[in-house]
Amino acid sequence: MPNPSKNKTMSTESFAHLFLHLYQMETAGIPATQSLALLKTTDKNLNKRLLRMQRQLNSGLAVATAGVNAGIFNETHQALIESAEVSGRLTAVYQQLADHYSEKLNRLKKIKSRLYLPTLVLLLALLIQPIPLLIANQITSFSYLIQSIGQFLQIVLLFFIALKLPTWFRPLFQHLQIRLPIVSKWIVKRQINRFLSILAMMMDAGIPFSDALPLAVATIKNHVLKNRFNEAIQECHSGEDVAVILAQIKIIPPTAIQIISASEFSGNLAESLLNFTRSEADLIKLEDDALSEWIPRLFYFGVCLWMAKSIVGV
């Protein structure tokens, strides 16, 4: 039986590895059953699911259905792969999914790697700061550990709580994301580009707009944004032009609407929309790279201020 809830534990790295492998094997003409047997990962959870998927494929099920039943693919993956199997564009869809998850994984790794050094600097600062008191016998060894390692663990705990708060209080944080001007612009730009990219990929795979729109909207993480598409979803079967329906959504960039309108008339809607979202994704990547550069710098600055405050004893 399908168990979509299991997809929540699938990491970006697992998806990137899986779709890249499927793309390479499909390009080489190797059947899905054999390609899965050749895929070896360090993710034990993924390996178990791949075994279940192989059994599903051996029983005669299609790739998309087998992947969903094994807890690997979600509804978006299923719709894309099912349409790609029918239209003969499976290789292209695997490549698009592999590119998407690989780029997302690279961004995450870049930000994490740039935070290692400032974290180490903070730890060293916490270790060094109480040493004079320890040498002067003004504090005990236990107190030294509390003031150094203890403070570091407290900071780590605070960061952990800060990262978990949006999950624990999701409705509140999603409303805040849309209300705060700078944050709202940041969130909307990324989620709308992701939505348009998924929509374009689905139509490129042969899925009609009326079926692709609800599935693409479902990938929007912020429910406040997602609710703004309700009217468009209701009208997607009306026969109106795609540009007319999407123009009702004010958060979709006017440039995107113009491209959709022109390309719909010329008959290359999916391709033009894919090119637009890739161009936007490149700009977003530049912004994310700039952010990943400034986060460590701000962290360094905060550590320096703290050390200066400790030295002057203010």
Side-chain angles (χ1 to χ4, degrees), residues 192 195 209 213 225 227-254 257 260:
I192 292 301
F195 155 74
F209 171 72
L213 180 61
L225 287 180
N227 290 337
R228 298 185 184 182
F229 286 79
N230 290 338
E231 187 175 347
I233 291 175
Q234 293 173 1
E235 295 186 11
C236 66
H237 295 280
S238 65
E240 283 279 9
D241 292 343
V242 173
V244 173
I245 293 174
L246 293 183
Q248 302 174 49
I249 316 300
K250 303 304 181 184
I251 52 178
I252 295 180
I257 299 298
I260 290 170

Side-chain angles (χ1 to χ4, degrees), residues 107-161:
R107 286 196 301 270
L108 291 173
K109 284 184 174 179
K110 186 178 293 185
I111 291 174
K112 287 180 180 179
S113 66
R114 288 174 177 170
L115 285 174
Y116 288 147
L117 187 56
T119 302
L120 178 61
V121 170
L122 174 62
L123 177 58
L124 290 174
L126 289 170
L127 289 171
I128 294 170
Q129 192 264 342
I131 285 180
L133 297 176
L134 179 64
I135 294 174
N137 290 323
Q138 295 181 21
I139 60 173
T140 64
S141 297
F142 181 74
S143 297
Y144 167 77
L145 292 175
I146 293 296
Q147 290 186 34
S148 55
I149 302 298
Q151 283 192 55
F152 181 75
L153 293 177
Q154 288 177 16
I155 293 171
V156 171
L157 178 61
L158 287 174
F159 271 104
F160 175 78
I161 293 173

Side-chain angles (χ1 to χ4, degrees), residues 1-6 56 65 67-71 78:
M1 292 293 292
N3 192 355
S5 64
K6 292 183 179 179
Q56 297 277 335
T65 306
V68 171
N69 290 352
Q78 183 181 19

Side-chain angles (χ1 to χ4, degrees), residues 94-106:
Y94 283 154
Q95 183 180 21
Q96 290 167 348
L97 288 170
D99 289 345
H100 167 72
Y101 285 109
S102 295
E103 289 172 4
K104 183 178 179 180
L105 178 62
N106 288 336

